[in-house]
Amino acid sequence: MTIRLLDESLINQIAAGEVIERPASIVKELVENSLDAGSTRITVNIGNSGLDTIEVEDNGTGMTGDDLPLAFLRHATSKIKNELDLFKIRSMGFRGEALPSIASVSRIQIISRTEDTEGVCAFLEAGQIIKMEPCAHTRGTRIVVSDLFYNTPVRKKFLKSPVGESRHIYDMVCRYALARPDVSFSFVNEKKTVFKTPGNNSLRDTLTAIYGRDYLQHLVDIRHQGSTLSLAGLVSTPELTRTNRRNQIFFVNRRPVRTPLLFRALDEGYKGLLISRQQPVVILNLSVPAESVDVNVHPQKNGNSLP
Ligand SMILES: Nc1ncnc2c1ncn2[C@@H]1O[C@H](COP(=O)(O)OP(=O)(O)OP(=O)(O)O)[C@@H](O)[C@H]1O
Ligand SMILES: [Mg+2]
């Protein structure tokens, strides 16, 4: 048996196996990057359930022509510098893995511009930059991911039906839009705008933009300030229930999370109010000191470890 070091593109494809499970995972990573770039407007535009194209455009800080190639290198990040930073993560990303992973299983076109440099445009195939040139653009970044899994056909076979994948993407964009009512999110599917949130920092207005007015009358504001923890959001009265947990959305420090601990806490809170199998609608953000959660317990960062 000979042991050898794997080449970079294979390493990236293996990492993509962890991080990029389906088209919605790409949407998640790109939206998180746009949020970390301080964007106030983010548009997600998908074609054929994200399998043909996923386009995310933001008005964030953008990247310079020098930084852009670095963004596609593994373990290259602008978000943490040392071990200390790792234990008080305030950004959504920090692993420096998402873009090289996505690039290794798709074709990418990216255009970016910072406030004081000229725009730059690059094309990548299977993780390699094949063309890069200056181009005109407003401040921010537009990234178009096409032909997902074109070079990993087995992966493609494991995907759900196009309707299933679209639903995953829809849920993903909803979650981030509700996590960040201060940012205006637009979601466009097959050239049709599905929703556009106002970005006015009102959770109720954001919710109305996504689900319509009917929900609102059955939702109660929750606001609790403890000594180190605080809880804020909306929870439904027993008149508004569902039969699954799809509309139970939790954030920890505004990062969407799915953890059994919070579902259990919710079940406990509603005990005696609902008949079995009825599930309340909940959108709740738990704020805790950054150093008291470890977001680094899962490559997709969605099951963070609470104390
Ligand atoms: N939309 C964007 N606007 C500005 N800079 C961006 C954008 N997307 C990516 N970048 C830059 O590219 C770098 C690499 O992005 P990538 O998503 O691969 O890693 P990360 O966000 O640092 O960590 P993670 O792998 O945990 O997401 C980021 O650190 C950031 O500096
Ligand atoms: Mg990232």
Side-chain angles (χ1 to χ4, degrees):
M1 188 174 70
T2 317
I3 299 179
R4 58 180 84 78
L5 210 56
L6 299 175
D7 73 43
E8 188 66 20
S9 71
L10 197 52
I11 293 174
N12 284 334
Q13 278 198 9
I14 292 170
E18 284 184 335
V19 184
I20 313 301
E21 203 182 336
R22 53 166 30 114
S25 330
I26 296 194
V27 171
K28 168 187 190 290
E29 294 298 338
L30 299 181
V31 164
E32 289 195 354
N33 281 346
S34 295
L35 290 171
D36 283 343
S39 310
T40 56
R41 259 198 337 266
I42 300 174
T43 301
V44 178
N45 190 333
I46 60 166
N48 188 23
S49 305
L51 290 165
D52 289 354
T53 54
I54 296 171
E55 179 181 322
V56 175
E57 178 155 26
D58 68 47
N59 64 348
T61 51
M63 281 176 273
T64 63
D66 289 341
D67 272 352
L68 196 134
L70 296 176
F72 290 92
L73 290 183
R74 212 167 139 69
H75 305 309
T77 180
S78 56
K79 300 171 192 176
I80 59 171
K81 287 199 197 77
N82 53 41
E83 232 174 277
L84 275 181
D85 293 344
L86 186 59
F87 295 103
K88 48 173 171 43
I89 301 274
R90 286 173 213 283
S91 53
M92 305 300 286
F94 56 89
R95 296 162 55 104
E97 286 200 314
L99 289 184
S101 300
I102 296 169
S104 73
V105 291
S106 67
R107 296 189 171 92
I108 287 186
Q109 184 195 359
I110 179 165
I111 304 178
S112 198
R113 215 202 90 186
T114 65
E115 190 70 56
D116 2 83
T117 54
E118 68 171 336
V120 58
C121 172
F123 295 86
L124 290 97
E125 219 168 285
Q128 301 301 316
I129 295 188
I130 50 174
K131 190 169 155 196
M132 190 164 140
E133 60 196 10
C135 65
H137 193 58
T138 51
R139 195 193 85 158
T141 302
R142 181 167 82 223
I143 173 157
V144 187
V145 177
S146 327
D147 306 329
L148 180 60
F149 300 137
Y150 80 99
N151 54 350
T152 53
V154 181
R155 195 94 265 246
K156 206 165 177 170
K157 272 214 302 239
F158 281 101
L159 292 174
K160 282 205 167 132
S161 64
V163 176
E165 296 304 334
S166 280
R167 173 168 282 228
H168 275 288
I169 296 178
Y170 170 80
D171 281 350
M172 189 65 82
V173 185
C174 288
R175 258 176 246 152
Y176 282 88
L178 291 164
R180 294 294 303 269
D182 56 327
V183 174
S184 170
F185 278 82
S186 304
F187 178 46
V188 183
N189 187 0
E190 300 296 345
K191 303 198 170 76
K192 278 211 286 286
T193 299
V194 181
F195 63 78
K196 181 175 189 322
T197 63
N200 63 354
N201 213 10
S202 156
L203 184 57
R204 279 186 177 267
D205 290 352
T206 305
L207 198 109
T208 307
I210 299 174
Y211 299 123
R213 294 219 152 265
D214 297 350
Y215 264 51
L216 276 189
Q217 53 178 325
H218 301 300
L219 290 171
V220 179
D221 287 274
I222 295 281
R223 196 160 286 276
H224 171 77
Q225 180 68 54
S227 54
T228 51
L229 309 183
S230 70
L231 191 65
L234 296 165
V235 302
S236 68
T237 60
E239 284 80 53
L240 177 65
T241 57
R242 293 285 176 266
T243 49
N244 59 44
R245 292 192 184 272
R246 219 175 134 206
N247 294 72
Q248 296 179 352
I249 306 176
F250 290 104
F251 315 111
V252 174
N253 293 347
R254 303 217 278 183
R255 181 190 299 278
V257 292
R258 288 182 75 77
T259 121
L261 178 73
L262 293 172
F263 289 137
R264 275 203 304 275
L266 188 66
D267 294 345
E268 199 57 37
Y270 274 87
K271 218 177 191 164
L273 290 174
L274 304 174
I275 54 171
S276 75
R277 288 214 293 274
Q278 279 188 330
Q279 294 290 345
V281 173
V282 167
I283 297 128
L284 275 180
N285 178 52
L286 181 66
S287 299
V288 300
E291 48 283 4
S292 68
V293 281
D294 187 359
V295 285
N296 194 23
V297 290
H298 191 282
Q300 295 170 9
K301 311 180 193 95
N302 52 9
N304 74 39
S305 132
L306 289 163

Short mmCIF file of all heavy atoms in Angstrom, two decimals, residues 80-132:
data_model
loop_
_atom_site.label_atom_id
_atom_site.label_comp_id
_atom_site.label_asym_id
_atom_site.label_seq_id
_atom_site.Cartn_x
_atom_site.Cartn_y
_atom_site.Cartn_z
N ILE A 80 -11.24 35.21 10.02
CA ILE A 80 -10.53 34.96 11.28
C ILE A 80 -9.02 34.98 11.02
O ILE A 80 -8.56 34.73 9.92
CB ILE A 80 -10.92 33.61 11.97
CG1 ILE A 80 -10.65 32.41 11.04
CG2 ILE A 80 -12.35 33.62 12.43
CD1 ILE A 80 -10.82 31.06 11.75
N LYS A 81 -8.29 35.27 12.12
CA LYS A 81 -6.83 35.33 11.97
C LYS A 81 -6.15 34.30 12.85
O LYS A 81 -5.13 33.76 12.52
CB LYS A 81 -6.33 36.72 12.37
CG LYS A 81 -6.65 37.78 11.36
CD LYS A 81 -5.74 39.00 11.58
CE LYS A 81 -6.27 40.23 10.89
NZ LYS A 81 -7.40 40.86 11.64
N ASN A 82 -6.72 34.05 14.04
CA ASN A 82 -6.03 33.16 14.97
C ASN A 82 -7.03 32.34 15.80
O ASN A 82 -8.23 32.48 15.66
CB ASN A 82 -5.11 33.98 15.88
CG ASN A 82 -5.89 35.11 16.55
OD1 ASN A 82 -7.03 34.91 16.97
ND2 ASN A 82 -5.29 36.29 16.65
N GLU A 83 -6.45 31.50 16.65
CA GLU A 83 -7.26 30.58 17.46
C GLU A 83 -8.29 31.32 18.32
O GLU A 83 -9.41 30.86 18.49
CB GLU A 83 -6.32 29.83 18.38
CG GLU A 83 -6.46 28.35 18.34
CD GLU A 83 -5.38 27.71 19.17
OE1 GLU A 83 -4.25 27.54 18.66
OE2 GLU A 83 -5.66 27.45 20.34
N LEU A 84 -7.86 32.47 18.85
CA LEU A 84 -8.76 33.24 19.71
C LEU A 84 -10.03 33.60 18.96
O LEU A 84 -11.14 33.49 19.49
CB LEU A 84 -8.07 34.52 20.16
CG LEU A 84 -7.18 34.42 21.38
CD1 LEU A 84 -6.58 35.79 21.70
CD2 LEU A 84 -7.99 33.91 22.57
N ASP A 85 -9.86 34.02 17.69
CA ASP A 85 -11.02 34.41 16.87
C ASP A 85 -11.98 33.24 16.71
O ASP A 85 -13.20 33.42 16.66
CB ASP A 85 -10.58 34.85 15.47
CG ASP A 85 -9.77 36.13 15.49
OD1 ASP A 85 -9.82 36.83 16.52
OD2 ASP A 85 -9.10 36.43 14.49
N LEU A 86 -11.43 32.03 16.62
CA LEU A 86 -12.25 30.84 16.38
C LEU A 86 -13.26 30.61 17.49
O LEU A 86 -14.31 30.01 17.28
CB LEU A 86 -11.33 29.61 16.20
CG LEU A 86 -11.99 28.31 15.79
CD1 LEU A 86 -12.73 28.45 14.46
CD2 LEU A 86 -10.95 27.20 15.67
N PHE A 87 -12.95 31.07 18.67
CA PHE A 87 -13.86 30.82 19.79
C PHE A 87 -14.77 31.99 20.12
O PHE A 87 -15.48 31.99 21.11
CB PHE A 87 -13.06 30.33 21.01
CG PHE A 87 -12.42 29.00 20.71
CD1 PHE A 87 -11.07 28.91 20.42
CD2 PHE A 87 -13.20 27.85 20.64
CE1 PHE A 87 -10.50 27.69 20.08
CE2 PHE A 87 -12.64 26.63 20.30
CZ PHE A 87 -11.28 26.54 20.03
N LYS A 88 -14.74 33.01 19.27
CA LYS A 88 -15.78 34.05 19.38
C LYS A 88 -16.16 34.55 17.98
O LYS A 88 -15.99 35.71 17.63
CB LYS A 88 -15.34 35.19 20.31
CG LYS A 88 -13.96 35.74 20.07
CD LYS A 88 -13.79 36.95 20.96
CE LYS A 88 -12.44 37.54 21.03
NZ LYS A 88 -11.56 37.76 20.00
N ILE A 89 -16.70 33.59 17.23
CA ILE A 89 -17.05 33.88 15.84
C ILE A 89 -18.27 34.79 15.75
O ILE A 89 -19.31 34.50 16.33
CB ILE A 89 -17.40 32.55 15.11
CG1 ILE A 89 -16.23 31.58 15.14
CG2 ILE A 89 -17.90 32.81 13.70
CD1 ILE A 89 -15.24 31.73 14.08
N ARG A 90 -18.12 35.90 15.05
CA ARG A 90 -19.25 36.79 14.84
C ARG A 90 -19.72 36.79 13.39
O ARG A 90 -20.80 37.27 13.08
CB ARG A 90 -18.90 38.22 15.26
CG ARG A 90 -18.86 38.35 16.77
CD ARG A 90 -18.35 39.69 17.23
NE ARG A 90 -17.61 39.54 18.47
CZ ARG A 90 -18.19 39.38 19.66
NH1 ARG A 90 -19.49 39.36 19.76
NH2 ARG A 90 -17.45 39.22 20.74
N SER A 91 -18.88 36.25 12.50
CA SER A 91 -19.27 36.20 11.08
C SER A 91 -19.96 34.87 10.82
O SER A 91 -19.90 33.95 11.63
CB SER A 91 -18.03 36.33 10.21
OG SER A 91 -17.07 35.38 10.62
N MET A 92 -20.64 34.77 9.68
CA MET A 92 -21.30 33.51 9.33
C MET A 92 -20.25 32.48 8.89
O MET A 92 -20.34 31.32 9.20
CB MET A 92 -22.30 33.73 8.20
CG MET A 92 -23.34 34.79 8.45
SD MET A 92 -24.37 34.45 9.89
CE MET A 92 -25.37 33.16 9.29
N GLY A 93 -19.27 32.93 8.14
CA GLY A 93 -18.24 32.02 7.65
C GLY A 93 -16.93 32.21 8.42
O GLY A 93 -16.76 33.20 9.12
N PHE A 94 -16.05 31.22 8.32
CA PHE A 94 -14.71 31.36 8.92
C PHE A 94 -13.79 30.26 8.46
O PHE A 94 -12.59 30.30 8.69
CB PHE A 94 -14.79 31.34 10.46
CG PHE A 94 -15.47 30.10 11.02
CD1 PHE A 94 -14.74 28.96 11.31
CD2 PHE A 94 -16.84 30.08 11.23
CE1 PHE A 94 -15.37 27.82 11.80
CE2 PHE A 94 -17.47 28.94 11.72
CZ PHE A 94 -16.73 27.81 12.00
N ARG A 95 -14.32 29.23 7.73
CA ARG A 95 -13.49 28.09 7.39
C ARG A 95 -12.68 28.30 6.11
O ARG A 95 -11.74 27.54 5.84
CB ARG A 95 -14.36 26.84 7.22
CG ARG A 95 -15.05 26.41 8.49
CD ARG A 95 -16.21 25.47 8.20
NE ARG A 95 -15.83 24.32 7.42
CZ ARG A 95 -15.66 23.09 7.91
NH1 ARG A 95 -15.85 22.86 9.17
NH2 ARG A 95 -15.33 22.10 7.11
N GLY A 96 -13.07 29.28 5.31
CA GLY A 96 -12.36 29.50 4.04
C GLY A 96 -12.48 28.31 3.11
O GLY A 96 -11.53 27.96 2.41
N GLU A 97 -13.65 27.68 3.12
CA GLU A 97 -13.81 26.47 2.33
C GLU A 97 -14.95 26.51 1.33
O GLU A 97 -14.97 25.73 0.40
CB GLU A 97 -14.11 25.29 3.27
CG GLU A 97 -12.92 24.83 4.03
CD GLU A 97 -13.12 23.42 4.54
OE1 GLU A 97 -14.20 23.13 5.08
OE2 GLU A 97 -12.19 22.63 4.38
N ALA A 98 -15.92 27.40 1.58
CA ALA A 98 -17.15 27.32 0.78
C ALA A 98 -16.88 27.54 -0.71
O ALA A 98 -17.26 26.72 -1.54
CB ALA A 98 -18.17 28.31 1.31
N LEU A 99 -16.23 28.67 -1.04
CA LEU A 99 -16.07 28.96 -2.47
C LEU A 99 -15.23 27.91 -3.21
O LEU A 99 -15.64 27.44 -4.27
CB LEU A 99 -15.51 30.38 -2.69
CG LEU A 99 -16.48 31.52 -2.37
CD1 LEU A 99 -15.87 32.88 -2.72
CD2 LEU A 99 -17.81 31.36 -3.12
N PRO A 100 -14.06 27.49 -2.66
CA PRO A 100 -13.33 26.43 -3.39
C PRO A 100 -14.14 25.14 -3.51
O PRO A 100 -14.04 24.45 -4.53
CB PRO A 100 -12.05 26.21 -2.56
CG PRO A 100 -12.21 26.99 -1.31
CD PRO A 100 -13.28 28.00 -1.53
N SER A 101 -14.95 24.82 -2.48
CA SER A 101 -15.77 23.60 -2.57
C SER A 101 -16.82 23.73 -3.67
O SER A 101 -16.98 22.82 -4.48
CB SER A 101 -16.48 23.34 -1.24
OG SER A 101 -15.55 23.17 -0.21
N ILE A 102 -17.52 24.87 -3.68
CA ILE A 102 -18.55 25.07 -4.71
C ILE A 102 -17.91 25.03 -6.10
O ILE A 102 -18.39 24.38 -7.02
CB ILE A 102 -19.29 26.43 -4.51
CG1 ILE A 102 -20.03 26.44 -3.18
CG2 ILE A 102 -20.24 26.70 -5.66
CD1 ILE A 102 -20.55 27.81 -2.76
N ALA A 103 -16.78 25.74 -6.21
CA ALA A 103 -16.11 25.83 -7.52
C ALA A 103 -15.65 24.47 -8.03
O ALA A 103 -15.60 24.24 -9.24
CB ALA A 103 -14.92 26.79 -7.42
N SER A 104 -15.37 23.54 -7.11
CA SER A 104 -14.85 22.24 -7.55
C SER A 104 -15.94 21.36 -8.16
O SER A 104 -15.64 20.37 -8.79
CB SER A 104 -14.17 21.51 -6.38
OG SER A 104 -15.15 21.03 -5.48
N VAL A 105 -17.21 21.71 -7.97
CA VAL A 105 -18.29 20.86 -8.52
C VAL A 105 -19.23 21.64 -9.45
O VAL A 105 -20.39 21.27 -9.63
CB VAL A 105 -19.11 20.20 -7.38
CG1 VAL A 105 -18.30 19.16 -6.64
CG2 VAL A 105 -19.66 21.24 -6.39
N SER A 106 -18.73 22.77 -10.00
CA SER A 106 -19.61 23.57 -10.86
C SER A 106 -18.79 24.46 -11.79
O SER A 106 -17.56 24.42 -11.77
CB SER A 106 -20.50 24.46 -9.98
OG SER A 106 -19.69 25.42 -9.33
N ARG A 107 -19.50 25.27 -12.58
CA ARG A 107 -18.84 26.34 -13.33
C ARG A 107 -19.28 27.66 -12.70
O ARG A 107 -20.44 27.80 -12.32
CB ARG A 107 -19.29 26.32 -14.79
CG ARG A 107 -18.88 25.04 -15.51
CD ARG A 107 -19.15 25.15 -17.01
NE ARG A 107 -18.56 24.02 -17.69
CZ ARG A 107 -19.21 22.88 -17.97
NH1 ARG A 107 -20.47 22.73 -17.62
NH2 ARG A 107 -18.59 21.88 -18.58
N ILE A 108 -18.34 28.61 -12.59
CA ILE A 108 -18.66 29.85 -11.88
C ILE A 108 -18.29 31.07 -12.71
O ILE A 108 -17.24 31.10 -13.36
CB ILE A 108 -17.90 29.89 -10.53
CG1 ILE A 108 -18.53 28.91 -9.56
CG2 ILE A 108 -17.88 31.29 -9.93
CD1 ILE A 108 -17.97 28.95 -8.15
N GLN A 109 -19.17 32.05 -12.65
CA GLN A 109 -18.82 33.37 -13.15
C GLN A 109 -18.98 34.33 -11.97
O GLN A 109 -20.00 34.29 -11.27
CB GLN A 109 -19.76 33.78 -14.27
CG GLN A 109 -19.36 35.11 -14.88
CD GLN A 109 -20.44 35.73 -15.75
OE1 GLN A 109 -21.51 35.16 -15.93
NE2 GLN A 109 -20.15 36.91 -16.25
N ILE A 110 -17.99 35.15 -11.73
CA ILE A 110 -18.08 36.07 -10.59
C ILE A 110 -17.65 37.47 -11.02
O ILE A 110 -16.67 37.63 -11.76
CB ILE A 110 -17.25 35.56 -9.38
CG1 ILE A 110 -17.33 36.54 -8.21
CG2 ILE A 110 -15.81 35.24 -9.73
CD1 ILE A 110 -16.86 35.97 -6.88
N ILE A 111 -18.41 38.45 -10.59
CA ILE A 111 -18.07 39.85 -10.86
C ILE A 111 -18.09 40.56 -9.51
O ILE A 111 -19.03 40.36 -8.73
CB ILE A 111 -19.10 40.54 -11.77
CG1 ILE A 111 -19.26 39.77 -13.08
CG2 ILE A 111 -18.70 41.98 -12.05
CD1 ILE A 111 -20.29 40.37 -14.01
N SER A 112 -17.08 41.36 -9.23
CA SER A 112 -17.05 42.02 -7.95
C SER A 112 -16.38 43.39 -8.08
O SER A 112 -15.52 43.59 -8.95
CB SER A 112 -16.29 41.15 -6.94
OG SER A 112 -16.59 41.56 -5.63
N ARG A 113 -16.80 44.29 -7.21
CA ARG A 113 -16.16 45.61 -7.19
C ARG A 113 -16.23 46.19 -5.80
O ARG A 113 -17.25 46.08 -5.11
CB ARG A 113 -16.88 46.55 -8.15
CG ARG A 113 -15.94 47.53 -8.83
CD ARG A 113 -16.64 48.75 -9.32
NE ARG A 113 -16.64 49.77 -8.27
CZ ARG A 113 -17.29 50.91 -8.36
NH1 ARG A 113 -18.01 51.20 -9.41
NH2 ARG A 113 -17.22 51.77 -7.37
N THR A 114 -15.11 46.75 -5.35
CA THR A 114 -15.12 47.42 -4.06
C THR A 114 -15.40 48.90 -4.31
O THR A 114 -15.46 49.35 -5.46
CB THR A 114 -13.76 47.31 -3.34
OG1 THR A 114 -12.79 48.02 -4.11
CG2 THR A 114 -13.32 45.87 -3.17
N GLU A 115 -15.50 49.65 -3.22
CA GLU A 115 -15.79 51.09 -3.33
C GLU A 115 -14.73 51.81 -4.17
O GLU A 115 -15.05 52.60 -5.04
CB GLU A 115 -15.83 51.68 -1.91
CG GLU A 115 -16.33 53.08 -1.81
CD GLU A 115 -17.83 53.17 -2.10
OE1 GLU A 115 -18.60 52.48 -1.43
OE2 GLU A 115 -18.20 53.94 -3.01
N ASP A 116 -13.45 51.48 -3.91
CA ASP A 116 -12.41 52.28 -4.57
C ASP A 116 -11.54 51.56 -5.59
O ASP A 116 -10.48 52.06 -5.96
CB ASP A 116 -11.48 52.98 -3.55
CG ASP A 116 -11.78 52.65 -2.14
OD1 ASP A 116 -11.31 51.58 -1.64
OD2 ASP A 116 -12.51 53.42 -1.54
N THR A 117 -11.96 50.38 -6.04
CA THR A 117 -11.17 49.76 -7.13
C THR A 117 -12.11 49.50 -8.30
O THR A 117 -13.32 49.51 -8.13
CB THR A 117 -10.55 48.42 -6.68
OG1 THR A 117 -11.58 47.59 -6.17
CG2 THR A 117 -9.48 48.62 -5.63
N GLU A 118 -11.51 49.20 -9.46
CA GLU A 118 -12.41 48.92 -10.59
C GLU A 118 -12.90 47.48 -10.51
O GLU A 118 -12.31 46.64 -9.82
CB GLU A 118 -11.72 49.23 -11.93
CG GLU A 118 -10.59 48.30 -12.26
CD GLU A 118 -10.09 48.50 -13.69
OE1 GLU A 118 -10.84 49.00 -14.54
OE2 GLU A 118 -8.93 48.13 -13.93
N GLY A 119 -13.98 47.19 -11.21
CA GLY A 119 -14.59 45.87 -11.15
C GLY A 119 -13.72 44.80 -11.79
O GLY A 119 -12.87 45.09 -12.64
N VAL A 120 -13.94 43.56 -11.36
CA VAL A 120 -13.18 42.46 -11.92
C VAL A 120 -14.15 41.30 -12.15
O VAL A 120 -15.10 41.13 -11.40
CB VAL A 120 -11.99 42.08 -11.00
CG1 VAL A 120 -12.44 41.69 -9.61
CG2 VAL A 120 -11.14 40.98 -11.60
N CYS A 121 -13.88 40.55 -13.22
CA CYS A 121 -14.78 39.47 -13.59
C CYS A 121 -13.94 38.21 -13.81
O CYS A 121 -12.86 38.28 -14.40
CB CYS A 121 -15.46 39.91 -14.87
SG CYS A 121 -16.43 38.68 -15.64
N ALA A 122 -14.38 37.07 -13.30
CA ALA A 122 -13.59 35.84 -13.48
C ALA A 122 -14.51 34.67 -13.81
O ALA A 122 -15.67 34.64 -13.41
CB ALA A 122 -12.80 35.54 -12.21
N PHE A 123 -13.95 33.74 -14.57
CA PHE A 123 -14.67 32.50 -14.90
C PHE A 123 -13.87 31.34 -14.34
O PHE A 123 -12.65 31.29 -14.50
CB PHE A 123 -14.78 32.33 -16.42
CG PHE A 123 -15.63 33.40 -17.06
CD1 PHE A 123 -15.06 34.62 -17.42
CD2 PHE A 123 -16.97 33.20 -17.27
CE1 PHE A 123 -15.83 35.62 -18.00
CE2 PHE A 123 -17.75 34.19 -17.84
CZ PHE A 123 -17.19 35.39 -18.21
N LEU A 124 -14.56 30.40 -13.69
CA LEU A 124 -13.86 29.24 -13.15
C LEU A 124 -14.53 27.96 -13.64
O LEU A 124 -15.77 27.91 -13.81
CB LEU A 124 -13.93 29.22 -11.62
CG LEU A 124 -13.12 30.27 -10.89
CD1 LEU A 124 -13.98 31.45 -10.52
CD2 LEU A 124 -12.50 29.67 -9.63
N GLU A 125 -13.72 26.95 -13.84
CA GLU A 125 -14.26 25.65 -14.20
C GLU A 125 -13.54 24.61 -13.36
O GLU A 125 -12.30 24.63 -13.28
CB GLU A 125 -14.02 25.39 -15.69
CG GLU A 125 -15.20 24.70 -16.29
CD GLU A 125 -15.18 24.67 -17.80
OE1 GLU A 125 -15.45 25.72 -18.43
OE2 GLU A 125 -14.86 23.60 -18.32
N ALA A 126 -14.32 23.74 -12.73
CA ALA A 126 -13.77 22.71 -11.85
C ALA A 126 -12.70 23.29 -10.91
O ALA A 126 -11.64 22.71 -10.70
CB ALA A 126 -13.22 21.55 -12.65
N GLY A 127 -12.97 24.45 -10.38
CA GLY A 127 -12.11 25.04 -9.35
C GLY A 127 -10.98 25.91 -9.88
O GLY A 127 -10.32 26.60 -9.11
N GLN A 128 -10.74 25.89 -11.18
CA GLN A 128 -9.62 26.66 -11.74
C GLN A 128 -10.12 27.94 -12.41
O GLN A 128 -11.11 27.90 -13.14
CB GLN A 128 -8.87 25.83 -12.80
CG GLN A 128 -8.30 24.52 -12.30
CD GLN A 128 -7.31 24.74 -11.15
OE1 GLN A 128 -6.46 25.63 -11.20
NE2 GLN A 128 -7.47 23.95 -10.07
N ILE A 129 -9.38 29.04 -12.18
CA ILE A 129 -9.73 30.28 -12.89
C ILE A 129 -9.28 30.12 -14.34
O ILE A 129 -8.10 29.88 -14.60
CB ILE A 129 -9.05 31.50 -12.24
CG1 ILE A 129 -9.60 31.69 -10.83
CG2 ILE A 129 -9.25 32.75 -13.10
CD1 ILE A 129 -9.18 32.95 -10.12
N ILE A 130 -10.23 30.20 -15.29
CA ILE A 130 -9.83 30.05 -16.68
C ILE A 130 -9.74 31.39 -17.40
O ILE A 130 -9.12 31.51 -18.45
CB ILE A 130 -10.75 29.07 -17.46
CG1 ILE A 130 -12.21 29.42 -17.25
CG2 ILE A 130 -10.49 27.62 -17.04
CD1 ILE A 130 -13.16 28.58 -18.11
N LYS A 131 -10.37 32.43 -16.81
CA LYS A 131 -10.27 33.75 -17.42
C LYS A 131 -10.56 34.80 -16.34
O LYS A 131 -11.45 34.58 -15.50
CB LYS A 131 -11.31 33.86 -18.52
CG LYS A 131 -11.19 35.07 -19.40
CD LYS A 131 -12.12 34.88 -20.59
CE LYS A 131 -12.53 36.19 -21.18
NZ LYS A 131 -13.68 36.05 -22.07
N MET A 132 -9.81 35.90 -16.35
CA MET A 132 -10.10 36.97 -15.40
C MET A 132 -9.79 38.28 -16.09
O MET A 132 -8.75 38.40 -16.74
CB MET A 132 -9.21 36.79 -14.17
CG MET A 132 -9.59 37.70 -13.04
SD MET A 132 -8.84 37.16 -11.50
CE MET A 132 -8.39 38.75 -10.85
#
